[in-house]
Every structure is written in structure tokens, then in C-alpha cells.
Amino acid sequence: ALSQIDLLVINKVEASALVPAIAGRIGEGGPPLTGDGEEPPTALARQGLTGGGYQLGLRSFFTALRDSGARYVLVTDGASGSFLADRERIRYCPSAKTPVAGTAGAGDAYSATLATFLAEGRTPEDAMRAAAINSASVVAYIDTQRGLLGRADLEAALTASAGELAVRHWPI
């Protein structure tokens, strides 16, 4: 049961695979993530998820999973960034820009960093920024280990990038 899960981490492809089951329960559709006249930050925010011939807006998708009990739900979208929902809001963090040597390990670095920061009581915004920084460091190398940042380097990079990785949010 999702009520036993603090953090559900899935990528866009995995989230799309859940769409038919969720749409069968709540119906399909839903508006794009917008607010205050702003453009949605990514195609995923504009178009939502599609799978099995169904379409769900992100707000509908996250609401359904939240109502099933998950405390946090993360949907990653590679170089386009990630979305994290809790009971009150959906947050978006862009990916940190870096030359890409290989993508192996990026999702693992992102989810491990996010989970650690959330477990330590850091804000979801700091957790998302730290996760974006650590995963960007990983993709700068061909292997999955060399780019992982230690705590001191991660904290320094987080402080240095405070204005670069602006986290947007919308009510759920």
C-alpha cells in the first residue's frame, strides 16, 4: 500500500505506465501546470502523461497518488528536470546544466540525494536542488561512481548555485 511509502520515485516512462490504471479510477484529463500567467516549464507540465491510450495532467496524476497515501511522489524527466509532489504542492526543479558523458547512475544519484535530504529534514526545494547538482555531476563522467559528490562538495555546490536552480511550485 502506498500509505507505507514516504517517497515514491519513478521516471516519466514508469509514470506513464501507471496512467491507464489511474485514469480508470479517476477519469482522464486535467489542466496543465500553470499559474499566474506563467508558461509551464516543460512539455510534461504542459501535456501531462500519456499511456495505454489515456492522458492525465500532472496535477491529476499526483493527486491520485497522494490520495493513495504516498507522502512524496517524484517523477523524473531526464534533462528536462523533475517534479516532486506532497500533500500541498507540486514542485519543479530544472536539471543542472553540464556536459553529458553518460547517463548511467543519474537517477540513482538524484533519488538517493533527494531521499537523504528529505530524511534529514531539509526543505523539499533544497533536496531537489542538491539532487539535481549531484546527478549532474554523475552524468559528467562515463562511469557511475566518479562523479558522486561527497557531503562537503555537495553543500558547497548547493550554496554556490542558489540562484541558478529556481524551484517553481503550484498548489496540488
Side-chain angles (χ1 to χ4, degrees):
L2 291 180
S3 63
Q4 302 300 310
I5 295 175
D6 285 326
L7 174 61
L8 175 64
V9 176
I10 52 180
N11 63 40
K12 180 179 158 183
V13 172
E14 295 161 339
S16 294
L18 296 175
V19 168
I22 294 171
R25 231 178 49 237
I26 67 167
E28 62 179 317
L33 285 180
T34 57
D36 301 331
E38 297 175 339
E39 274 297 305
T42 68
L44 182 57
R46 278 188 302 281
Q47 300 162 359
L49 296 160
T50 57
Y54 296 93
Q55 186 277 334
L56 273 179
L58 281 184
R59 186 172 278 118
S60 299
F61 178 81
F62 283 126
T63 298
L65 291 176
R66 178 204 63 192
D67 290 349
S68 296
R71 182 173 176 198
Y72 291 102
V73 180
L74 176 76
V75 174
T76 61
D77 192 13
S80 294
S82 64
F83 294 86
L84 177 70
D86 61 16
R87 297 238 170 252
E88 283 123 28
R89 64 189 41 157
I90 300 168
R91 294 168 182 84
Y92 166 76
C93 183
S95 62
K97 303 303 176 216
T98 189
V100 177
T103 59
D108 295 328
Y110 193 102
S111 59
T113 304
L114 182 81
T116 298
F117 272 61
L118 290 174
E120 291 175 347
R122 301 285 288 268
T123 66
E125 291 81 5
D126 275 353
M128 292 180 83
R129 283 192 288 267
I133 291 165
N134 209 9
S135 63
S137 182
V138 167
V139 301
Y141 297 90
I142 197 71
D143 66 84
T144 60
Q145 298 292 308
R146 204 169 1 154
L148 283 172
L149 298 173
R151 178 49 78 111
D153 290 336
L154 183 55
E155 292 288 352
L158 184 59
T159 300
S161 71
E164 297 171 26
L165 293 171
V167 176
R168 291 177 60 182
H169 56 86
W170 303 265
I172 197 158

